Every structure is written in C-alpha cells, then in structure tokens.
Amino acid sequence: MSELVAIGYPDLATANSARERIIELQRQGLITVRDAAVVEAGRDGKVKLHQSTSMAGVGAAGGALWGGLIGLLFFAPFIGMAVGAAAGGVAGKFTDTGVDDKFMKDVGSALEPGNAALFLLVDQITVDKVVAEMEPYHLGGRLLHSSLSNEAEQRLRDALEAARLARV
C-alpha cells in the first residue's frame, strides 16, 4: 500500500531540490516513490503543478515501440511506429497515475503565495535513513498531509521541528 506525504516549503527552489534528493535516494534503494510532484502557489494566485514525469511522453515511447513491432508484421514499421506513438501519446496524456491533481491543487490553493509543496506517493521507505538524508530540506518544511502511520508521521514531524528549532 502506498503512503501519501505532502511537505510545504517556503519556495519552489527548495521543494524542487527536495524532490531531486528523493529521486537520488530512490536510485540508492532507500525509498520507492510512485509519484513525486511539486505544487507552486504563484505570487499571482495561480497554482501550478510540476509533475516528475510526462505520461504522454512515456505513452508515446511505448506506443512507438509496439507500433513498430506490429508494423513489422505488415511490412510497414515506420507507419506502425508513427501510429503507435500518436496513440500512446494520447493515451498517456489522459492517464493519471499517482497523486490526484485536484487534491494537489486544493492543497496548493491553501499555501501562501510564493510557497510550494512536495507531494510524494511512497511505496516503500527506510524511514530513519531517508529522514537523516533529507535533513538539509527540513529547514522551513512543514508536514501538510500524511497517510503514514501515527508513529512514522510523528518521527517526520519531530525531524521537521528539530530542524526549525536548530535554525532559530
């Protein structure tokens, strides 16, 4: 089962840096993230979503591969690739996996202008190691939402509060 975590940051740059660090920790095997998105509350009042991957691009690549293979059967691989890429791109554009966009926009609309939030849909995590590795990003961060267990959520809140107190 996946866990949802949303952490608010004072600016977009910090939220993006935290997301990049999470992706790096995923490569190290300390966390498995299904989705990592940043929501920005613009100074103009608009909420912008910054997704980590484009499903349209993924769909187009997969469609091109399958279209090319099927096209080989009919001796028209390039036509098959073109049709497959177009169909995959359209299908990917309308496929939304991960954190619900409407939920992220609702949370984003509650942020102060200029602030941002990092949303993570986590499948597996080594909590102690990830919290320690993310320590530089605790500064200014505050837990906005979590579906973690009470114990794990409290450890995350404690880490964020300790970083805030150390800064003062």
Side-chain angles (χ1 to χ4, degrees):
M1 183 172 128
S2 298
E3 303 291 345
L4 175 64
V5 177
I7 301 173
Y9 288 100
D11 56 59
L12 179 62
T14 306
N16 280 332
S17 294
R19 177 174 60 182
E20 291 304 315
R21 183 65 179 136
I22 286 290
I23 291 168
E24 189 176 312
L25 293 174
Q26 181 168 257
R27 284 189 212 111
Q28 294 175 20
L30 296 176
I31 188 169
T32 304
V33 178
R34 184 177 302 174
D35 192 15
V38 173
V39 176
E40 173 188 9
R43 301 222 183 266
D44 58 0
K46 293 183 181 178
V47 176
K48 297 177 190 169
L49 296 180
H50 302 274
Q51 301 283 2
S52 58
T53 57
S54 165
M55 292 307 292
V58 171
L65 174 70
W66 285 106
L69 290 174
I70 292 169
L72 280 174
L73 295 174
F74 299 104
F75 303 106
F78 296 113
I79 293 172
M81 285 176 66
V83 170
V90 169
K93 183 170 176 60
F94 293 108
T95 301
D96 188 16
T97 59
V99 183
D100 181 57
D101 290 354
K102 183 182 178 329
F103 173 71
M104 288 191 290
K105 285 186 176 186
D106 289 345
V107 172
S109 66
L111 294 173
E112 294 290 324
N115 288 1
L118 172 62
F119 288 83
L120 300 170
L121 193 58
V122 179
D123 285 338
Q124 173 273 328
I125 184 171
T126 307
V127 176
D128 296 342
K129 291 182 179 180
V130 171
V131 167
E133 290 289 328
M134 292 299 293
E135 189 171 337
Y137 304 100
H138 294 333
L139 251 72
R142 63 187 185 346
L143 187 63
L144 301 175
H145 179 83
S146 167
S147 65
L148 294 170
S149 69
N150 290 339
E151 178 185 317
E153 184 174 317
Q154 189 57 49
R155 288 199 321 232
L156 180 55
R157 285 185 192 279
D158 292 345
L160 291 169
E161 184 61 27
R164 191 177 353 264
L165 291 174
R167 192 176 88 187
V168 175

